[in-house]
Structure formats: structure tokens, C-alpha cells
């Protein structure tokens, strides 16, 4: 689908003038582009300088500004002419690692500030919010929905995963779509399945991995010491796998619960060799067998594909793998979010 972003001087009364908040590496931007809606991003605001550098690498110099959302005012939103707000606030206040501090967490302050603006921006007609699963049970979510209603919005909630769309990755996230006009059908229950028109045949992992040219992928191989200590607890994908774990910003830093790893061997061959490790007579033979599994991390490019970023998306020269994994772990699934723009109609 051809991008539908309009030139800065082009006028279209039906266009969506997007204010992209907590813009990260541009997942929301790519999502509305994928939806085919006529749009213009009037401002993208983010405080992470690495994310802004990546955003500007893909969308042009100055496309994202290093801006504190606490400074955003109704007057500024009006000056921008924004009629759509897309946002993915920090999820840490609503997670176990963030100690579930909810609205008491200072990282939630920008979101609370936005809640206070909702009844002061009548020109905004559509708001899309993404956050971690569990946000729907938070004080922040209850406050947000109450403020939406008071401001004259109708809203619909979703918990969706790209796996339901045919992507071999599980990443359940909460979404809230709000607009000025009522939705068709019931809105009280949280929707947990995408519309059939967005459901595709489930891909295999082999369709997203990079070609094995030896040199490029060898640096992602797991070290012998890590294989000894953590191989048994890792989620290992093979080419025929139809799913992978949710990738977090701590991928490669922690071995458990941060994302899957990959072996290019067929599952049957992998299982055969893995069974031999426990039968090997000495540690040296065990190490040789583990190494023959060729287990490696997914590359940043592969993680981006699992999160449905387009092939043209890339990282500027000098971005480290650690930085790539961190910003990807904080980002969204482009395909899932693009489907939610159906609700604009």
C-alpha cells in the first residue's frame, strides 16, 4: 500500500492531522501509514534521544522532537491543528518489574497530564492508546476512561496479539480507541480477537529470519557459558516454529522471559542432538553438542519484522544492538495497530 502522508502544503479537510506522543521509533506513524488513511504527522514527541535519532533516520531530519509531554498545552495542540492523538505511554508503572506503582509512579506523570487535557481539546476527534496487558486493571486506565467520557468521547477496548493476525509472535497488548461518535455494536466488553479481514495464514519463523551468510549472524550466537547455564530454560524457535515469545527491552541482557532464541536446525534434528547432551560422557562433548545446535539471538532486523515494521525501516549507523533491542522492546506491533484505524470510520 502506498504511503498516504500528505505534503506539508497540501490541504485536505478530511485528513487526519496526527500528534504522535511517546513516539519512540515511529511505530504509530508506520501503523497509520499502513492503514491507508490520509494523514499528516504534525508533531512527534519523545524524550529518548536514541529513539528520536532512529525516528528521524526513517522519517527525515527533525521529524521527531526531544520534547517533554508535561509541557504540552491545549493551546499548543490547537496551534498544531491536531485532530488525532496516537500514544504509547511508558508501561513500567503497570508491570511487575516496575513494582505496579500505577499513578504513583513518576513515569506516569505525562500520561496523567494528558488525561487532564482531554476536556480542553474539542478539536481532537480520535485518540488511540496502547499499553501493556494489565493496564486495563490500573487506576490510570480507570482515570483515563472517566476523563474520556467526561470530555465527550466514546471508547472501545481491545487486548490483541500479532499471533492472532498470522504473525509468529505473541505480544498481548491493551488498546483503547476513542472517538467523538458512537461505535456500532456493544462496547462494554474488551475485544480479544481481530476482525476476520485482518486475519492471515500463520507464518513460520523461516519467513522472517535473515539469510545465513555466516559472518553477519555469527556474532549473535550464544556463548558457551550461557548455553551451559541457560539453554534448558530458553524458548527456542526453529525454522518451522509458528510462534515466538514477546521481545522486551531486556532481550539478550536476561536469558529468561525476554524473548525467544533461534536455531536453524529442523526441530527433529534439534531435538535429536539436544537429547544426546545429557548422554554425553564429558563436559567437552556436551559443549560440542550444544555448539552444534547453532543457537543464536534473533537479530534486530528479525525482531522488527516480528513486530511488523516495514522492510524499509532501519537503524542509523552506529546504533548498537543493545540500543536496537531496547527501543524495539518499547515499541508496538505495526500490523495490530494499523487494524485499529478501521474504528475511525
Amino acid at each position: 500500500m502506498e504511503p498516504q502522508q500528505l505534503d506539508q502544503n497540501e490541504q485536505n479537510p478530511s485528513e487526519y492531522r496526527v500528534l504522535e506522543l511517546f513516539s519512540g521509533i515511529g511505530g504509530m506513524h508506520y501503523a497509520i501509514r499502513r492503514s491507508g488513511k490520509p494523514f499528516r504527522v504534525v508533531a512527534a514527541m519523545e524524550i529518548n534521544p536514541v529513539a528520536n535519532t532512529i525516528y528521524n533516520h526513517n522519517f527525515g531530519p527533525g521529524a521527531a522532537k526531544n520534547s517533554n509531554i508535561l509541557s504540552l498545552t491545549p493551546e499548543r495542540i490547537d496551534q498544531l491543528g491536531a485532530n488525532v492523538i496516537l500514544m504509547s505511554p511508558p508501561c513500567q508503572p503497570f508491570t511487575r518489574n516496575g513494582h505496579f506503582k500505577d499513578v504513583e509512579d513518576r513515569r506516569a506523570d505525562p500520561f496523567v497530564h494528558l488525561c487532564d487535557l482531554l476536556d480542553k481539546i474539542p478539536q481532537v476527534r480520535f485518540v488511540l492508546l496502547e499499553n501493556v496487558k494489565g493496564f486495563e486493571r490500573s487506576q490510570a486506565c480507570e482515570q483515563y476512561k472517566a476523563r474520556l467520557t467526561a470530555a465527550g468521547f466514546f471508547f472501545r477496548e481491545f487486548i490483541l496479539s500479532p499471533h492472532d493476525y498470522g504473525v509468529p509472535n505473541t505480544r498481548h497488548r491493551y488498546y483503547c480507541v476513542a472517538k467523538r461518535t458512537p461505535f456500532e455494536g456493544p462496547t462494554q466488553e474488551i475485544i480479544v480477537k481481530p476482525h476476520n479481514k485482518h486475519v492471515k495464514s500463520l507464518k513460520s519463523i523461516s519467513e522472517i529470519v535473515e539469510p545465513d551468510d555466516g559472518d553477519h549472524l555469527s556474532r549473535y550466537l550464544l556463548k558457551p557459558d550461557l548455553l551451559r547455564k541457560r539453554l534448558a530454560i530458553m524458548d527456542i524457535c526453529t525454522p518451522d516454529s509458528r510462534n515466538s515469545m514477546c521481545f522486551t527491552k531486556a532481550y539478550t541482557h536476561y536469558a529468561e522471559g525476554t524473548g525467544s532464541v533461534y536455531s536453524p536446525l529442523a526441530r527433529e534434528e534439534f531435538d535429536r542432538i539436544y537429547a544426546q547432551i545429557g548422554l554425553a560422557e564429558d563436559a567437552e562433548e556436551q559443549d560440542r553438542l550444544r555448539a552444534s545446535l547453532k543457537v543464536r539471538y534473533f537479530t534486530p532486523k528479525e525482531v522488527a519484522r516480528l513486530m511488523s515494521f516495514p522492510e524499509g525501516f532501519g537503524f542509523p549507523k552506529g546504533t548498537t544492538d543493545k540500543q536496537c533491542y531496547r527501543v524495539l522492546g518499547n515499541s508496538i506491533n505495526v500490523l495490530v495497530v494499523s487494524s485499529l484505524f478501521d474504528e475511525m470510520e
Side-chain angles (χ1 to χ4, degrees), residues 66-87:
N66 191 349
S67 304
N68 189 334
I69 290 170
L70 287 170
S71 67
L72 190 64
T73 64
E75 292 75 22
R76 179 55 179 157
I77 295 173
D78 188 52
Q79 289 171 359
L80 292 168
N83 56 27
V84 169
I85 292 178
L86 309 179
M87 58 176 166

Side-chain angles (χ1 to χ4, degrees), residues 130-151:
E130 181 266 3
N131 212 283
V132 67
K133 183 181 178 183
F135 177 80
E136 73 279 6
R137 300 188 298 273
S138 68
Q139 296 176 50
C141 187
E142 289 304 311
Q143 178 178 321
Y144 177 61
K145 291 187 291 185
R147 294 297 181 87
L148 283 173
T149 301

Side-chain angles (χ1 to χ4, degrees), residues 63-319:
K65 304 294 185 184
N66 191 349
S67 304
N68 189 334
I69 290 170
L70 287 170
S71 67
L72 190 64
T73 64
E75 292 75 22
R76 179 55 179 157
I77 295 173
D78 188 52
Q79 289 171 359
L80 292 168
N83 56 27
V84 169
I85 292 178
L86 309 179
M87 58 176 166
S88 181
C91 65
Q92 289 88 345
F94 317 108
T95 64
R96 181 186 62 214
N97 290 340
H99 306 295
F100 299 108
K101 291 183 178 180
D102 210 318
V103 292
E104 301 303 319
D105 194 311
R106 296 305 302 270
R107 288 170 293 190
D109 287 354
F111 176 70
V112 173
H113 174 68
L114 290 169
C115 288
D116 292 338
L117 299 182
L118 289 172
D119 62 349
K120 304 176 182 67
I121 49 174
Q123 72 277 30
V124 173
R125 62 182 195 252
F126 185 88
V127 183
L128 192 157
L129 174 144
E130 181 266 3
N131 212 283
V132 67
K133 183 181 178 183
F135 177 80
E136 73 279 6
R137 300 188 298 273
S138 68
Q139 296 176 50
C141 187
E142 289 304 311
Q143 178 178 321
Y144 177 61
K145 291 187 291 185
R147 294 297 181 87
L148 283 173
T149 301
F153 284 96
F154 300 87
F155 62 84
R156 178 172 277 169
E157 300 172 277
F158 303 79
I159 292 179
L160 300 168
S161 172
H163 194 260
D164 296 324
Y165 290 70
V167 179
N169 179 244
T170 293
R171 188 180 182 88
H172 287 98
R173 288 294 184 268
Y174 169 84
Y175 304 92
C176 182
V177 173
K179 62 181 181 178
R180 298 288 183 181
T181 55
F183 293 87
E184 293 184 7
T187 58
Q188 298 304 310
E189 297 296 324
I190 296 178
I191 297 171
V192 296
K193 290 291 183 182
H195 191 281
N196 287 338
K197 75 176 185 178
H198 296 294
V199 178
K200 308 295 182 185
S201 298
L202 187 60
K203 292 183 177 180
S204 65
I205 290 294
S206 64
E207 296 176 71
I208 66 94
V209 294
E210 297 189 66
D212 188 357
D213 60 7
D215 294 338
H216 168 58
L217 297 180
S218 61
R219 66 193 178 100
Y220 295 100
L221 288 169
L222 272 61
K223 304 299 183 185
D225 188 53
L226 184 59
L227 287 171
R228 287 187 210 106
K229 295 178 179 179
R230 294 287 183 262
L231 183 62
I233 64 171
M234 289 181 158
D235 182 69
I236 300 164
C237 295
T238 54
D240 56 339
S241 296
R242 299 279 178 164
N243 200 11
S244 56
M245 289 178 59
C246 176
F247 292 87
T248 76
K249 67 178 184 179
Y251 187 57
T252 73
H253 185 67
Y254 295 109
E256 188 175 6
T258 62
S260 303
V261 291
Y262 176 72
S263 169
L265 304 183
R267 175 61 65 177
E268 185 177 302
E269 178 69 1
F270 179 94
D271 290 344
R272 184 186 66 79
I273 295 174
Y274 186 85
Q276 292 178 4
I277 296 173
L279 303 176
E281 295 182 355
D282 56 59
E284 184 176 340
E285 176 63 9
Q286 290 178 344
D287 284 346
R288 186 192 69 77
L289 288 168
R290 291 190 191 97
S292 70
L293 295 172
K294 302 179 182 179
V295 178
R296 64 168 176 84
Y297 292 111
F298 283 92
T299 69
K301 180 70 173 178
E302 292 164 347
V303 176
R305 286 173 175 169
L306 285 167
M307 296 180 70
S308 304
F309 277 76
E311 282 300 296
F313 170 78
F315 298 96
K317 187 176 180 181
T319 310

Side-chain angles (χ1 to χ4, degrees), residues 24 48-60 64 314-317 319:
N48 184 327
V50 174
N52 282 335
T53 298
I54 297 167
Y55 191 110
N56 293 334
H57 174 74
N58 288 283
F59 296 110
F315 298 96
K317 187 176 180 181
T319 310

